[in-house]
Amino acid sequence: MGNRASPDRRKAYAYVRVSTAEQAQHQTSLRQQTVDLKKYCTQNDIDLIEIFVEPGLSGSDWKRPEFNRMMLLATGDDHPVDCIIACDMARLARDVEFTVITQGQLQRAGVQCLFVYQRFEDNHFGMLHKLLTSWQDQDAIVKASMNTRRGLRGTAEEGFWVGGTVPLGYESRTVEVRSKKEKKKLFLNASEAAIVRMIFDLAEKGLNGSPLGGRAIAEYLNKHGYTRRGKKFYNATVAGILSRPHYLGRFPGNKFDEFGNLLPEEEWTWVDCPQLITQEQFDRVAALREERAPRNTPPRVVSGPTLLIGLAECEACGAGMTIRTGKGGRYRYYSCNSKVNRGASACDCPNVRAEKLDELVLGEVADRVFGEEHLEPLLTKVLDTSDEGRQRKLQELEQCEAKLADARRRLSNLHDAIETGAVSPRDPDITARLKQRRTEIDGLNTTVTTLHQQLERGPASITSAAVQRFGDIVRRELKHGKDEARQQIARAFIEKSALA
């Protein structure tokens, strides 16, 4: 907030802005702009009513909250100010069209536009001068953007990380320094990598063989204390992880040409990075997600309480069965979808009471699939899959322990170099390396501990008592359990079939 207004002096709003790229420049810093604006107002007998501050937004961005708020107030019917002041034209805008519109609004409201570092005549030639200056500012930012894109493309072509948010499971490390510019690459973060692999496993097999959706995975991770670098998981973040190409060992380092146009995929620049997920598992998860997508399978089919929707088909015409209600919702029926949509003449398939058909089908599943004569082969197959998972965990544990030993050795070498005086502990690079090694060791220790806990459960074995107990539990769930559990079992063991 500025000075108290005097009735005999001009009143003004001031606007200061820096883009992210300009933050380090002294002359355009927010503090320096504010100092220069206050000095200008004092020298020119202007009362500064309010300063509007916009950090980290481009002058070509039309959606600047503080700028738009200032314009709304300045052009109001109560005429609160006589002028708007900025240090230069580029602070207000770096876009010719935006400049024309803004200057027109201020002129119609009788508000003058003044600049600390620039002078413009208050006439037609002054307006022309402003437009030429705005065009130069826009040209400068366009050229800077083109140079930045060229630089990013060159960085990607050399195989380096181009910046931005590092995907979960990785960390960026400086591998080279050129003219004070750090060149980085992606390396595995062991503790985060374990979470990423868990997410893919849950998406493929879930907790009991039935794949979990993004929301269910997020709920499981949050419930068990897993975080995304201190933040909670959400459906959208899980979906992003499951579709990220980085985990296959490469990522697009550049998708755009120097003008910002999206290139054809065959012209993208791809950068190699450590692989986290096999192509086979990535493809399986992608296929499952595509199958469950709302455009292919409505949410009511994926997660609704009706057990056989999406499985039952009309024997007469082959259409899917849908659910209808009667007596104010007290009764539910499976009906031929063709008959529902096109009228009774489209199909002569009768309606079937939902609870009777559910009981009949699930009873057959309980007796045929989970009868005692079928349970032992089924459990053997499940345990074989569990053994494969156990072998993967053993391999991961072996890799983590090897990485942990290597990280400890490198940390010990740094300590030896400091003790012998070969390097100084005050050297910023040495300090950063020490911190990096300790963080890496902490993450690996956590992963090793987690894997040991998972493996300590030991291999499972099949006994006649275990077979009988398993059969009793599953049959009870199928006949009397919650709809969600019954639906999961139904979708795991029932193929589409015609039902009359």
Side-chain angles (χ1 to χ4, degrees):
M1 191 66 66
N3 310 316
R4 179 173 296 179
S6 168
D8 300 324
R9 289 151 59 98
R10 288 183 295 173
K11 298 182 288 293
Y13 288 149
Y15 181 75
V16 297
R17 179 193 65 81
V18 288
S19 66
T20 304
E22 295 169 328
Q23 294 280 3
Q25 296 180 18
H26 177 69
Q27 186 182 19
T28 58
S29 70
L30 295 174
R31 185 195 66 81
Q32 187 61 48
Q33 288 181 62
T34 303
V35 169
D36 292 345
L37 283 164
K38 289 181 176 179
K39 183 178 178 181
Y40 178 88
C41 289
T42 301
Q43 292 174 343
N44 291 275
D45 295 326
I46 297 174
D47 286 323
L48 184 55
I49 305 302
E50 185 174 354
I51 300 175
F52 295 81
V53 182
E54 205 95 66
L57 287 177
S58 169
S60 60
D61 188 350
W62 289 48
K63 297 180 181 179
R64 286 176 274 157
E66 284 300 288
F67 181 86
N68 292 331
R69 184 170 74 89
M70 178 186 70
M71 288 294 297
L72 186 64
L73 292 172
T75 56
D77 293 336
D78 56 343
H79 197 73
V81 292
D82 304 291
C83 49
I84 283 178
I85 307 173
C87 284
D88 56 42
M89 283 279 295
R91 297 308 95 206
L92 288 182
R94 287 182 180 270
D95 181 281
V96 175
E97 182 182 359
F98 190 64
T99 298
V100 170
I101 292 173
T102 300
Q103 294 295 322
Q105 289 175 330
L106 293 174
Q107 189 175 35
R108 286 190 295 274
V111 179
Q112 192 177 10
C113 214
L114 302 174
F115 304 97
V116 177
Y117 308 146
Q118 296 167 317
R119 296 289 186 271
F120 300 98
E121 296 179 27
D122 192 16
N123 53 32
H124 168 76
F125 298 104
M127 177 57 75
L128 180 60
H129 188 188
K130 285 181 182 179
L131 293 177
L132 289 172
T133 302
S134 180
W135 179 84
Q136 289 175 327
D137 290 336
Q138 180 175 335
D139 182 61
I141 197 172
V142 168
K143 287 180 178 176
S145 298
M146 291 172 66
N147 289 333
T148 298
R149 294 189 188 99
R150 291 190 191 106
L152 291 175
R153 183 178 63 201
T155 298
E157 287 174 349
E158 291 186 87
F160 295 114
W161 173 244
V162 295
T165 302
V166 176
L168 190 72
Y170 297 100
E171 57 188 45
S172 64
R173 300 181 198 165
T174 301
V175 295
E176 192 177 328
V177 178
R178 297 181 189 172
S179 302
K180 298 183 179 180
K181 289 186 178 181
E182 296 182 348
K183 298 292 185 180
K184 299 183 177 183
K185 288 192 174 184
L186 292 185
F187 292 83
L188 282 184
N189 180 309
S191 56
E192 292 183 358
I195 297 175
V196 172
R197 292 190 180 104
M198 182 190 304
I199 290 172
F200 274 86
D201 287 341
L202 290 172
E204 182 182 8
K205 301 175 183 176
L207 300 172
N208 53 10
S210 179
L212 294 182
R215 186 169 286 104
I217 293 173
E219 289 175 357
Y220 175 85
L221 294 172
N222 294 331
K223 180 180 178 181
H224 289 82
Y226 295 99
T227 66
R228 182 172 48 92
R229 296 171 185 163
K231 299 178 182 179
K232 288 185 176 182
F233 285 92
Y234 296 95
N235 182 21
T237 54
V238 171
I241 288 169
L242 292 174
S243 60
R244 191 154 287 134
H246 302 65
Y247 302 129
L248 292 174
R250 66 175 196 156
F251 61 90
N254 180 66
K255 298 181 180 180
F256 303 92
D257 64 16
E258 60 187 22
F259 300 103
N261 300 315
L262 182 65
L263 294 167
E265 188 170 347
E266 59 270 16
E267 295 182 28
W268 292 0
T269 303
W270 291 84
V271 181
D272 291 334
C273 65
Q275 185 172 356
L276 256 172
I277 303 298
T278 65
Q279 183 72 57
E280 292 75 17
Q281 184 178 28
F282 192 93
D283 291 342
R284 288 195 298 270
V285 169
L288 287 169
R289 294 180 67 227
E290 179 68 18
E291 181 182 344
R292 293 169 63 92
R295 63 180 178 276
N296 297 323
T297 306
R300 64 182 180 275
V301 173
V302 175
S303 57
T306 309
L307 298 179
L308 302 177
I309 290 296
L311 297 174
E313 294 180 349
C314 174
E315 184 180 45
C317 68
M321 302 292 281
T322 189
I323 202 74
R324 302 196 77 184
T325 60
K327 300 292 184 181
R330 283 183 295 166
Y331 302 113
R332 295 185 307 147
Y333 301 90
Y334 286 106
S335 300
C336 171
N337 193 50
S338 179
K339 183 177 180 180
V340 170
N341 290 327
R342 293 190 291 166
S345 61
C347 182
D348 57 3
C349 177
N351 295 336
V352 181
R353 284 284 294 271
E355 62 272 19
K356 290 185 177 180
L357 184 59
D358 290 345
E359 182 179 352
L360 177 64
V361 172
L362 293 181
E364 285 294 304
V365 172
D367 294 337
R368 292 187 187 182
V369 178
F370 296 102
E372 291 189 7
E373 67 275 15
H374 301 300
L375 279 177
E376 187 166 338
L378 178 63
L379 283 175
T380 301
K381 183 177 180 180
V382 171
L383 290 178
D384 286 343
T385 303
S386 299
D387 287 341
E388 291 175 9
R390 181 178 177 81
Q391 289 302 317
R392 287 199 302 270
K393 284 187 172 63
L394 285 170
Q395 292 174 2
E396 187 175 346
L397 177 61
E398 184 178 350
Q399 294 171 357
C400 283
E401 287 179 336
K403 291 177 182 177
L404 182 59
D406 182 59
R408 286 172 174 164
R409 178 184 57 78
R410 286 183 286 163
L411 181 61
S412 178
N413 290 342
L414 285 173
H415 286 155
D416 290 343
I418 292 171
E419 288 179 4
T420 59
V423 296
S424 170
R426 297 176 181 173
D427 185 334
D429 182 55
I430 297 301
T431 303
R433 289 189 183 186
L434 287 169
K435 182 179 179 181
Q436 190 178 64
R437 291 287 81 75
R438 288 166 183 152
T439 301
E440 182 181 7
I441 289 171
D442 287 343
L444 287 167
N445 274 326
T446 301
T447 303
V448 168
T449 300
T450 302
L451 290 171
H452 273 300
Q453 291 172 346
Q454 293 173 348
L455 290 166
E456 281 173 2
R457 299 172 186 170
S461 59
I462 300 176
T463 64
S464 57
V467 170
Q468 184 175 0
R469 186 166 60 253
F470 176 75
D472 291 342
I473 292 172
V474 175
R475 286 191 292 271
R476 184 172 63 249
E477 285 294 321
L478 274 170
K479 295 179 179 179
H480 310 293
K482 295 180 179 180
D483 283 346
E484 182 181 358
R486 299 173 77 203
Q487 187 180 58
Q488 288 180 348
I489 297 172
R491 297 194 182 285
F493 290 96
I494 302 175
E495 296 181 353
K496 282 190 176 183
S497 57
L499 300 172

